[in-house]
Amino acid sequence: QDMRTLMKTRIKELRQENNYTQEILAIKIGANQTTLSRIECGLTVPDADIIIKLSDTFQVHVTLQPSDSVPVL
């Protein structure tokens, strides 16, 4: 799977597991809902700042895919 697919799937899973709407999660990470929606739709990849904030919010570690050094939550 490519980075966009991995990220969008994992972020949406974590958001739903924590019963957050996109709006609530966007507020928690200091982003806007449109940005979060675009990430979850695979239209864009989150920048490092958003990845760190998501990691902190969901209390998960960020790991790198060995094949291409892609960060994954």
Side-chain angles (χ1 to χ4, degrees), residues 23-41:
E23 182 180 10
I24 290 171
L25 180 56
I27 291 167
K28 287 185 170 289
I29 65 170
N32 64 49
Q33 185 177 353
T34 302
T35 299
L36 190 56
S37 176
R38 290 178 57 79
I39 292 167
E40 285 191 6
C41 289

